Amino acid sequence: MMADEATRRVFPTEPASHLRPRSRSVKSLVSTPESSFWRTFRSSTLHPSYLHLPITSLSFSPNSSLLAAASSTSVRVFSSLSLSEYDPDFDPALFATLPLPDLAYSPSFRCDGALIAAGCENGAVRVFDLPNDKPPKTLRRLNAHSCASRVVSFPLLDHKLRLFSAGDDALFVQWDLPTETPLFSVPGAHRDYIRAGAPSPVSPDVFVTGSYDHTVKIWDARVDSGASSVLSINHGHPVESVLFLPSGGLLATAGGNTIKIWDVIAGGKPVYSVETHNKTVTALTLAKVRDDTRLLSVSIDGYLKSFDFSRFKITHSMRYPAPLLSVAFSPTGTIRVVGTNNGAMYMGIKKKKDEFEDQVGSDDFAWSVPLPEKPTSRKNIRYFKRGQSEKPSEGDFIIKRPEKVKLKEHDRLLRKFLHKDALVSVLKTQQTTSIMAVLEELVARRKLIKCISNLDNDELKLLLSFISKKATQPWCARFLMDLAKCVLEIRAEDIRSGGPEMAVHVRNLRSMVAHEIQVQRSLQEIQGMISPLLVIAGK
Amino acid sequence: MIVGGQSLVTSPPVFSHDGKKLLVCTGCTVSVFSTTTGMLITELEGHTERVTSIVVVPVAGTVGTKFSDYCWTASLDGMIFYWDFSTPDLLKKVNVQLPVHSFVIPNILSASLGRSDKASQNLYAFISVEDANKEVENGKHLHGSIQIYDLTNSTRAGGVLAETHKPETLAISKSGEFVGIKKQKQLNIWRVPNKNLKSVNMKKLKLHHTRTLSCLAFHPTKCIVAAGDVSGRILIWRGFGKMRHSQDGGGKMKIDMGDRPGVRGEDDADSCSTWHWHSSEIKFLMFSSDEAYLFSGAKEGVIVVWQLDTGNKTYKPNIGSPLMYFTDSPDPSLSCVSCEDNQIHLLRMPSMDIIKSISGIKPPLILSELQGDRSRVTIGCDRSIGFVALPTKDYRIQFFSLLDGTDISHLQVIERNYDPVDETTVFISLVEVSDDGSMMSTVEEKLPEMGIGGLISLKFWIRGSHTGQYTLSTIIYEPHNNAGVSDMAFCPGRSMAVSTSYCGNFKVWVNNSSFIHSGDEIQEKGGWRCQSVSSYKEIPMTAAAFSGDGSVLAVAAETKITLWDPLNNVLVAIIGDSLGPIRQLAFVGSSEYIMSFSSGTKADLVVWNISNLSTHWSYKLLVEDICCTRSETRVAVLALLSSSDKSISTGKDGMVLVFDVENPIPVSTWFVKKAKGGRLSFINNKLGEATDGKLLLAYINGEHNYVLFDPSNVKEQEDLIPKSARRPQSYAHDENVSHGYASIYGELPSFDLTKARSSDSIPFVSSERPWETIFSGSSHALPPLSKLCSPFLESLLEKAEKQTVLSQ
């Protein structure tokens, strides 16, 4: 019956977009490459301790095999390999627990991952080694801080004997590990607690500290200039976290609900300010997204946001059910961990390999000459299948087979002019928008009344149950009220003799109408109250 | 100066002998299109009436004739012309004296004009002519007749072959052996003898059917004829005419009554089979060039391919419009199909893919009585470009350039599958384009079925990078609840629009959308929102217009005009009353005048003065459309003549008047045809330097034929207007026009020139109750008392008379 319509566009009855006001959030649901990347993470929850104590800091070892989490009086070290097969009932993921005398802060791995250092509430800084088979043992105890040593960090570059620490006593120290002595020490580096610090990715001697006195200072251990820093930047809020961006020339600082990017080389010039969090931003970290780098920030408002600092744009955001205090992203780009203030850690572990990463991997071999393909003999089945799975390369001109129009069941029936069947089939799907679209199409074809009078009893029940459910929904009420009236008029006889099920539908309809009348009446009352106010306001 | 908009599908098009050109009848000219590009190559101008049929002379062998293109054309003006359409030159004129509706030349292959060797025969044509003056015989009106005409000697050859009720279309077999017509429920077929073509030795063969036939086609080689009837059946007669034609003159052979399936009565055929798929009248039948298939088409818009031997059928692409004609070319891989929506599609043959489309202006949307409301064709006053936006039947808008006469683009407004068979229940009722063409709004209506499910929605569109490319900005469902939208207007220079409705309110819409650059694409946020809703005494609002600077909004509340400040939504003033509900409003340039007209029984055209809120002048005319220039004070009015008028008999039912708004005497006047549903618009002239800077007036008549001309250039217009009106009209006749001057006394009297002259400078108030309004307005604008007194008293008298009539 139907002619080939290859040359013309076919419009399905849906989307009957007029049935619903367009929602504004539709745009955000549109999949971007970034959101699809983040969607490849499988999320799970981990409670390192059964106490609901905040997880103040998280850190991955540089080779990604270990994750350290500071909570209560210990630093727990997890093996990230076993994290990926984490079983919530049994806890084999725990690799080691590092005991500390007081509340633990800021675990930091050395660049080779062999040592770990952590600060403590009483000011002590401990350095542990992490042998694979034996329990960890304390190697060094560094005592200089009189208050909590909140910032402890190994340099990022290959300098294994140095350690930076800073604390609430506003003291900043660079340690020589073997001798446990401070090499470079700045008492009163800030005028308030130092709560943030980060080593430079380009020099082992450069370190940045951020403090509650709103300033961020950059120190160079090679320049012994007393208490004055190389560079001082005013962030404007108490600084919670600082971070060098990979080039070492840009600095990200977080404090209050803003994140600011500074150009260090240009003498601390502000580059950009991000104000998308609603509450204090607590931690920053870098994440590898495919072949790009993002700045991840977490905040008390429970959002994790991914910021593309090359385009200065928020590319993705995730919501967590608790205030977030810390965040870490594994250097391999496969694990994402956030720590909350109630002791839960939310992990995202990458489920599958991105096709993008495959491409990146293959890039390494791009210089090599591809081997000539082995000629397949005619006996081999591959000979007959050759070329079938060939992918077009970039320069190829692709001739596409005309796309087959995918039609839903009711659309197919409508194209065959089987109007009643289409109505019944769409009623069975129970999708309101589809049903409304088909009903409207039937009206346009002048076939609705005929359809209604041709429905048999079971189909009539379907229609009645739909009407009795949806008749008073605002966006389809105008249509369905008229329809309900019409159905009741045309099929009065069948409804009366239709048995108890039909009666239930009619009763539902009646109670719905009664309820709607009630609603309308109260709305009118409200209108009556408001309109004099509006008249007065108009004058 | 520019005439266009002719229908391409009044008659079947014809291919040239090499298939490179397509000859299409377009009004009084024949347009020659290239089949490779679909562009117009040349036009054959010469006929003074509609051209009805074309016969292309095939290349006869290779007898030293130079490569050339010759054709014969016939027209309703009773002339048959012979053309060389490659140059194009008119070579020969033959006067038949009767309107020719169709003609064929059977022996065109063997005979050729211009060859003087004695072997060549005279060229004979079968012509189907209309003789309107023929007497009524036996109570039958036989207007049409089939005759043979000797084209070589320009004489009639013999008598009348057949007489029909109305002129019929002739069909001819490819070899020229058979010529046939349909004659109500029968087919008449003649075999053309090779020599000595005279009407006396022509034998007529009749094939009967029970229904009225609509078309016929001959098989290229065999004795097979196919005919379609009005119910959609296709009848195939095989082996017709074997008996009678083979033994002409001899004694009648006994007809074997047995073994002739399907053949009725004593019809001379071997068998007759019937195929039925189409549900409506068959529009064309055509045998394929390989003789194996039969193509048929009807209203469904689907070409059905029947296998001749088995009757199996396949369906070829849905063209999406009722089909009219199918023509095949000498090139077997090319053919064309004409559609009712004024398009000719060139098809690649075996697959029937559309290669190119030649599209003319879309025919007007005809709504049945049920739909009631006027459907308007709106001229997009994009004055620099001069295009019109026309709603089409298949839920689209066609953008048509009047200056170039070409179709620019199509825009799908309603996302719905169009089926030509369905009655129109969803349609675009209003299209409005803003002055600069950057914004467009459409109103679509869905008619309810027994009161269920009607929907009116308003869409705003924003122009893209090209002309005629619009993207949807906002959809507003049920802009005025259930009530229909009566008019839309855009504010010049601002993103503001107003929609008026029959439910008694109007809404001002503003576009405060911001564009967000997200990555590569631009997202639009916001869109059109309702800024304010206003009403005036709950009277239905019928028309709206913005002043040239956008500071004043005039909305017609039936008979009154309300003036608003659109930004603050404040009613500024009211001008009252016109005689009937106002249909359209227009501000006259930057002057202080506003023009309105109303239709119905109390039709009038009024120019109002805004500064003193009074009538400036008025006419009692049935007006179809008005348009004003934005800068000057000229206005153009399209008026319909009342049926009593004498010029109706010549087919002219309307006139275009150009006024200077200060003066009620028209500057110039033209009579036009088919003014019902016509539209007027001023557009900028971008062609020619001679008329540079002047506005052209575009007039589109009810059948979407149009003419563009410079209204100030009187000399040229005499040349031009006859083309649109088809008959010369002397300018002296134009004096007649002022007859429409409205008098306040009842029905329109016959024209009285002196009276109009004497009172033309007086602003008149025409109203049903003049004694109420005659003295309104400021004192300096009132006419002198001596002028006012008599109408006032007479109006009182008339009132009294009416009352007495009533009391009786």
Side-chain angles (χ1 to χ4, degrees):
Chain A
M1 187 81 181
M2 285 322 294
D4 171 27
E5 295 204 359
T7 52
R8 288 162 51 77
R9 236 177 106 192
V10 178
F11 298 105
T13 49
E14 270 183 280
S17 49
H18 61 271
L19 298 172
R20 270 192 184 161
R22 274 184 299 175
S23 78
R24 298 238 167 170
S25 59
V26 169
K27 294 255 162 62
S28 67
L29 290 176
V30 174
S31 172
T32 61
E34 180 94 8
S35 64
S36 69
F37 171 82
W38 289 113
R39 227 174 287 138
T40 57
F41 284 83
R42 187 189 60 201
S43 52
S44 59
T45 319
L46 187 72
H47 290 277
S49 65
Y50 293 97
L51 303 169
H52 294 287
L53 288 171
I55 295 169
T56 54
S57 183
L58 288 165
S59 169
F60 270 102
S61 74
N63 52 14
S64 289
S65 60
L66 296 174
L67 166 71
S71 90
S72 81
T73 59
S74 60
V75 172
R76 283 152 203 271
V77 181
F78 302 91
S79 157
S80 65
L81 289 175
S82 48
L83 274 181
S84 50
E85 295 107 36
Y86 175 66
D87 182 0
D89 298 330
F90 183 60
D91 201 0
L94 193 60
F95 180 78
T97 306
L98 309 176
L100 282 158
D102 207 331
L103 291 175
Y105 294 114
S106 185
S108 170
F109 285 96
R110 201 168 73 175
C111 56
D112 57 355
L115 298 186
I116 182 168
C120 184
E121 179 68 28
N122 65 8
V125 176
R126 303 274 169 96
V127 180
F128 307 89
D129 72 340
L130 288 168
N132 273 333
D133 41 357
K134 280 178 277 184
K137 91 186 167 226
T138 311
L139 288 181
R140 292 289 184 274
R141 294 155 199 270
L142 311 172
N143 297 315
H145 292 285
S146 55
C147 290
S149 48
R150 290 275 192 154
V151 182
V152 173
S153 177
F154 280 100
L156 281 177
L157 285 179
D158 194 8
H159 209 292
K160 295 179 178 170
L161 304 179
R162 298 278 185 273
L163 181 75
F164 295 103
S165 73
D168 283 359
D169 53 357
L171 175 71
F172 170 66
V173 188
Q174 185 194 26
W175 300 91
D176 180 44
L177 280 188
T179 59
E180 298 186 358
T181 52
L183 284 178
F184 175 78
S185 158
V186 187
H190 285 272
R191 292 200 303 278
D192 207 334
Y193 297 164
I194 299 175
R195 287 288 169 91
S200 162
V202 289
S203 163
D205 293 317
V206 176
F207 197 81
V208 61
T209 56
S211 155
Y212 275 9
D213 65 356
H214 299 195
T215 59
V216 173
K217 289 183 178 176
I218 296 176
W219 309 93
D220 190 342
R222 295 163 297 188
V223 186
D224 191 5
S225 54
S228 71
S229 60
V230 179
L231 186 68
S232 177
I233 298 164
N234 192 346
H235 176 79
H237 294 281
V239 180
E240 294 283 352
S241 182
V242 292
L243 194 65
F244 275 105
L245 296 181
S247 66
L250 292 179
L251 184 72
T253 63
N257 56 3
T258 59
I259 301 164
K260 289 183 179 174
I261 311 286
W262 309 86
D263 189 345
V264 178
I265 295 163
K269 197 175 66 138
V271 177
Y272 195 77
S273 173
V274 192
E275 296 180 27
T276 54
H277 285 287
N278 294 324
K279 290 186 180 171
T280 307
V281 182
T282 49
L284 298 173
T285 192
L286 289 172
K288 210 176 102 187
V289 173
R290 292 184 181 135
D291 48 353
D292 235 347
T293 316
R294 300 277 184 273
L295 181 69
L296 300 187
S297 61
V298 292
S299 157
I300 301 286
D301 62 5
Y303 274 98
L304 167 70
K305 302 214 176 199
S306 160
F307 177 73
D308 182 353
F309 52 83
S310 58
R311 289 186 293 156
F312 299 122
K313 243 186 77 177
I314 294 286
T315 51
H316 192 72
S317 71
M318 277 169 273
R319 172 99 168 87
Y320 288 94
L324 305 180
L325 293 184
S326 53
V327 63
F329 199 84
S330 77
T332 52
T334 52
I335 305 174
R336 172 195 74 207
V337 191
V338 292
T340 64
N341 73 341
N342 60 10
M345 273 164 59
Y346 294 97
M347 284 189 304
I349 296 161
K350 210 151 178 315
K351 280 183 283 195
K352 58 174 188 247
K353 276 225 167 228
D354 251 11
E355 65 270 24
F356 276 87
E357 280 178 22
D358 294 341
Q359 286 178 5
V360 172
S362 66
D363 270 0
D364 297 342
F365 303 97
W367 49 268
S368 69
V369 181
L371 292 170
E373 258 181 60
K374 220 191 266 178
T376 43
S377 74
R378 207 168 282 203
K379 287 171 193 161
N380 200 324
I381 190 156
R382 269 183 294 162
Y383 175 84
F384 297 100
K385 285 187 167 178
R386 71 193 192 282
Q388 283 183 1
S389 55
E390 204 78 13
K391 292 263 164 64
S393 66
E394 206 166 301
D396 285 352
F397 185 78
I398 301 165
I399 299 167
K400 273 191 190 149
R401 183 173 292 193
E403 252 178 66
K404 214 175 168 191
V405 187
K406 277 183 196 154
L407 288 177
K408 290 187 180 164
E409 176 73 20
H410 55 260
D411 272 329
R412 264 193 301 116
L413 291 168
L414 281 175
R415 275 164 66 93
K416 288 178 185 163
F417 306 104
L418 299 169
H419 296 118
K420 195 196 83 171
D421 296 347
L423 179 60
V424 172
S425 97
V426 78
L427 281 172
K428 279 178 184 157
T429 64
Q430 304 202 328
Q431 284 167 346
T432 317
T433 47
S434 308
I435 296 171
M436 289 303 293
V438 170
L439 287 172
E440 300 224 324
E441 177 63 25
L442 289 176
V443 167
R445 295 191 187 188
R446 293 276 177 277
K447 293 289 186 294
L448 184 62
I449 303 295
K450 207 165 201 178
C451 276
I452 291 171
S453 41
N454 284 348
L455 290 175
D456 68 27
N457 265 4
D458 287 342
E459 292 155 356
L460 186 62
K461 275 175 202 160
L462 271 177
L463 180 65
L464 273 180
S465 83
F466 169 71
I467 291 175
S468 62
K469 269 181 215 148
K470 303 285 179 190
T472 52
Q473 296 230 340
W475 54 276
C476 48
R478 195 194 290 277
F479 188 103
L480 286 185
M481 299 262 203
D482 289 341
L483 180 68
K485 219 165 96 188
C486 175
V487 170
L488 292 179
E489 276 170 14
I490 295 176
R491 306 297 298 264
E493 281 301 307
D494 300 298
I495 290 168
R496 215 165 288 145
S497 59
E501 210 174 319
M502 208 79 97
V504 168
H505 291 314
V506 176
R507 207 179 306 130
N508 286 347
L509 196 59
R510 188 185 297 147
S511 65
M512 192 171 216
V513 170
H515 180 244
E516 184 63 23
I517 290 170
Q518 196 63 44
V519 168
Q520 293 292 337
R521 201 167 288 155
S522 55
L523 280 176
Q524 273 176 346
E525 280 169 19
I526 293 168
Q527 195 180 10
M529 285 186 267
I530 289 174
S531 55
L533 295 178
L534 284 178
V535 169
I536 292 164
K539 286 171 186 169
Chain B
M1 287 135 249
I2 302 166
V3 184
Q6 281 87 11
S7 172
L8 303 173
V9 294
T10 51
S11 324
V14 179
F15 282 98
S16 68
H17 64 82
D18 54 355
K20 296 258 170 62
K21 292 174 183 171
L22 183 69
L23 284 80
V24 182
C25 302
T26 49
C28 354
T29 60
V30 175
S31 302
V32 183
F33 291 93
S34 160
T35 56
T36 45
T37 60
M39 309 287 270
L40 182 70
I41 299 171
T42 181
E43 284 191 327
L44 311 180
E45 292 175 11
H47 286 289
T48 54
E49 270 289 350
R50 189 162 69 80
V51 180
T52 51
S53 61
I54 307 168
V55 173
V56 169
V57 179
V59 178
T62 53
V63 200
T65 49
K66 66 176 169 69
F67 181 78
S68 56
D69 300 316
Y70 295 108
C71 71
W72 293 90
T73 62
S75 156
L76 291 181
D77 59 1
M79 302 291 282
I80 296 178
F81 287 176
Y82 185 56
W83 304 85
D84 177 353
F85 62 85
S86 56
T87 21
D89 286 326
L90 177 59
L91 302 178
K92 186 182 167 82
K93 287 186 184 181
V94 178
N95 195 348
V96 185
Q97 284 153 354
L98 291 171
V100 183
H101 280 263
S102 175
F103 83 117
V104 292
I105 306 175
N107 58 348
I108 196 161
L109 267 174
S110 53
S112 172
L113 190 83
R115 273 197 283 159
S116 53
D117 53 324
K118 56 191 172 190
S120 77
Q121 298 173 322
N122 287 349
L123 200 59
Y124 290 102
F126 282 68
I127 56 173
S128 164
V129 294
E130 181 179 5
D131 195 352
N133 303 324
K134 203 155 204 174
E135 294 159 25
V136 178
E137 289 174 18
N138 310 333
K140 285 184 185 172
H141 293 272
L142 297 173
H143 287 314
S145 66
I146 310 294
Q147 303 176 355
I148 300 180
Y149 201 84
D150 183 347
L151 291 174
T152 315
N153 301 325
S154 304
T155 53
R156 205 151 302 204
V160 174
L161 282 177
E163 287 187 325
T164 51
H165 282 271
K166 55 185 175 55
E168 296 290 352
T169 309
L170 287 157
I172 186 170
S173 68
K174 216 163 216 175
S175 57
E177 193 182 356
F178 298 105
V179 173
I181 56 162
K182 60 180 164 59
K183 190 174 166 186
Q184 289 181 319
K185 293 180 182 177
Q186 62 185 25
L187 290 184
N188 288 4
I189 298 170
W190 295 273
R191 166 173 285 202
V192 182
N194 286 332
K195 284 176 186 172
N196 202 8
L197 193 103
K198 286 270 162 57
S199 60
V200 281
N201 53 21
M202 296 283 291
K203 284 284 183 285
K204 182 155 70 175
L205 171 77
K206 287 183 183 173
L207 295 170
H208 292 88
H209 181 49
T210 52
R211 288 186 174 83
T212 308
L213 296 166
S214 59
C215 61
L216 78 159
F218 290 99
H219 193 274
T221 51
K222 292 179 199 156
C223 275
I224 299 176
V225 63
D229 72 5
V230 287
S231 67
R233 286 176 177 79
I234 297 169
L235 297 114
I236 313 275
W237 282 281
R238 290 164 205 268
F240 66 89
K242 275 188 181 156
M243 292 155 241
R244 194 162 298 171
H245 283 157
S246 57
Q247 37 133 13
D248 37 13
K252 275 205 173 173
M253 219 169 85
K254 201 183 169 192
I255 295 167
D256 181 15
M257 292 303 286
D259 198 28
R260 295 197 310 153
V263 180
R264 278 187 186 78
E266 299 195 351
D267 285 357
D268 187 1
D270 287 348
S271 68
C272 176
S273 49
T274 307
W275 294 333
H276 195 183
W277 180 83
H278 294 284
S279 59
S280 58
E281 180 187 330
I282 306 276
K283 289 286 186 182
F284 67 78
L285 286 170
M286 174 66 74
F287 286 95
S288 69
S289 52
D290 61 358
E291 305 169 10
Y293 298 99
L294 175 71
F295 306 126
S296 69
K299 204 182 173 190
E300 294 91 355
V302 179
I303 301 171
V304 184
V305 181
W306 305 86
Q307 199 176 4
L308 206 54
D309 294 335
T310 61
N312 291 341
K313 54 188 181 291
T314 50
Y315 312 103
K316 286 301 179 184
N318 189 345
I319 311 270
S321 178
L323 305 175
M324 302 274 285
Y325 314 108
F326 187 91
T327 313
D328 62 348
S329 73
D331 179 1
S333 66
L334 185 71
S335 60
C336 76
V337 63
S338 305
C339 299
E340 216 168 61
D341 63 352
N342 208 3
Q343 272 195 316
I344 297 175
H345 298 290
L346 296 166
L347 305 175
R348 184 181 292 116
M349 226 12 235
S351 58
M352 291 200 175
D353 303 329
I354 294 173
I355 313 169
K356 277 271 172 332
S357 294
I358 300 167
S359 49
I361 197 163
K362 292 278 188 238
L365 201 65
I366 297 160
L367 303 173
S368 63
E369 294 307 311
L370 181 71
Q371 281 103 22
D373 290 344
R374 68 208 165 112
S375 165
R376 293 177 36 175
V377 180
T378 312
I379 312 284
C381 294
D382 194 342
R383 296 191 168 160
S384 56
I385 298 168
F387 66 80
V388 285
L390 309 155
T392 64
K393 250 184 145 180
D394 52 351
Y395 317 125
R396 293 200 273 185
I397 285 180
Q398 182 196 31
F399 295 99
F400 192 85
S401 166
L402 292 181
L403 288 169
D404 306 330
T406 52
D407 166 75
I408 300 172
S409 64
H410 294 253
L411 178 72
Q412 187 84 37
V413 174
I414 308 171
E415 297 219 327
R416 187 159 185 273
N417 300 314
Y418 172 66
D419 195 338
V421 182
D422 287 353
E423 61 173 312
T424 315
T425 54
V426 183
F427 60 96
I428 302 164
S429 62
L430 199 97
V431 182
E432 184 76 34
V433 183
S434 71
D435 264 7
D436 56 352
S438 63
M439 294 168 283
M440 182 173 78
S441 67
T442 58
V443 176
E444 62 199 52
E445 286 185 32
K446 191 164 125 202
L447 298 169
E449 182 189 10
M450 289 180 67
I452 304 175
L455 183 75
I456 294 165
S457 46
L458 170 66
K459 286 181 177 170
F460 286 100
W461 306 78
I462 286 179
R463 185 173 62 189
S465 47
H466 310 295
T467 323
Q469 184 208 35
Y470 284 84
T471 50
L472 185 61
S473 161
T474 313
I475 311 177
I476 293 147
Y477 299 103
E478 302 182 330
H480 295 276
N481 290 335
N482 267 335
V485 177
S486 55
D487 198 10
M488 290 279 313
F490 279 100
C491 179
R494 215 177 290 157
S495 294
M496 183 187 273
V498 62
S499 67
T500 59
S501 114
Y502 297 114
C503 70
N505 63 11
F506 70 90
K507 292 189 178 180
V508 176
W509 308 90
V510 288
N511 182 13
N512 47 11
S513 58
S514 53
F515 291 94
I516 302 158
H517 295 259
S518 65
D520 300 331
E521 75 260 24
I522 300 167
Q523 289 178 352
E524 193 192 341
K525 210 171 184 179
W528 291 82
R529 295 282 176 268
C530 181
Q531 190 193 45
S532 59
V533 186
S534 319
S535 62
Y536 177 73
K537 293 185 179 173
E538 303 287 318
I539 302 171
M541 302 288 192
T542 49
F546 277 100
S547 68
D549 55 354
S551 61
V552 182
L553 167 65
V555 179
E558 284 201 324
T559 58
K560 291 188 171 61
I561 300 173
T562 55
L563 300 175
W564 303 75
D565 177 358
L567 291 176
N568 304 320
N569 198 28
V570 175
L571 181 62
V572 181
I574 300 159
I575 315 176
D577 270 324
S578 78
L579 288 179
I582 292 171
R583 259 185 67 186
Q584 199 178 330
L585 285 172
F587 279 89
V588 181
S590 46
S591 66
E592 53 184 359
Y593 300 105
I594 184 168
M595 207 165 182
S596 75
F597 72 85
S598 55
S599 59
T601 50
K602 291 169 191 165
D604 65 346
L605 169 74
V606 192
V607 173
W608 313 85
N609 190 328
I610 302 176
S611 58
N612 56 19
L613 305 180
S614 64
T615 313
H616 190 55
W617 50 267
S618 73
Y619 276 111
K620 194 153 185 175
L621 270 179
L622 184 57
V623 176
E624 186 67 22
D625 193 23
I626 53 177
C627 84
C628 304
T629 52
R630 278 285 179 218
S631 50
E632 300 166 57
T633 54
R634 270 185 303 168
V635 292
V637 174
L638 174 65
L640 297 178
L641 300 176
S642 56
S643 53
S644 61
D645 216 293
K646 60 178 180 285
S647 49
I648 282 296
S649 56
T650 56
K652 289 179 267 310
D653 57 351
M655 56 187 172
V656 177
L657 304 111
V658 174
F659 291 96
D660 188 72
V661 73
E662 299 284 349
N663 195 339
I665 296 179
V667 179
S668 43
T669 313
W670 304 274
F671 282 92
V672 291
K673 276 182 174 179
K674 289 161 192 154
K676 185 86 187 146
R679 297 276 296 167
L680 284 176
S681 176
F682 280 106
I683 60 171
N684 264 347
N685 183 16
K686 69 171 180 186
L687 308 167
E689 296 78 33
T691 49
D692 197 30
K694 294 204 173 154
L695 291 175
L696 293 179
L697 183 63
Y699 162 65
I700 300 179
N701 76 6
E703 293 192 343
H704 286 186
N705 296 350
Y706 66 85
V707 60
L708 293 177
F709 59 98
D710 184 353
S712 62
N713 204 339
V714 180
K715 289 221 165 166
E716 272 197 75
Q717 106 214 341
E718 286 179 353
D719 231 23
L720 146 92
I721 289 306
K723 272 193 184 168
S724 75
R726 297 285 149 70
R727 265 179 209 154
Q729 190 69 46
S730 69
Y731 191 64
H733 196 67
D734 291 347
E735 290 293 309
N736 249 343
V737 164
S738 324
H739 78 94
Y741 183 72
S743 110
I744 55 171
Y745 318 109
E747 284 307 303
L748 201 66
S750 62
F751 172 62
D752 185 352
L753 188 66
T754 52
K755 194 172 179 183
R757 277 286 159 80
S758 63
S759 54
D760 54 15
S761 60
I762 303 159
F764 251 85
V765 181
S766 43
S767 162
E768 192 187 9
R769 296 191 293 177
W771 58 91
E772 283 182 356
T773 50
I774 200 163
F775 297 112
S776 64
S778 52
S779 59
H780 70 270
L782 276 179
L785 260 186
S786 55
K787 300 259 177 180
L788 273 179
C789 187
S790 61
F792 175 61
L793 288 176
E794 282 191 55
S795 70
L796 288 179
L797 280 175
E798 189 155 291
K799 178 76 176 173
E801 267 174 29
K802 273 181 189 164
Q803 280 171 349
T804 52
V805 168
L806 281 175
S807 62
Q808 281 169 4

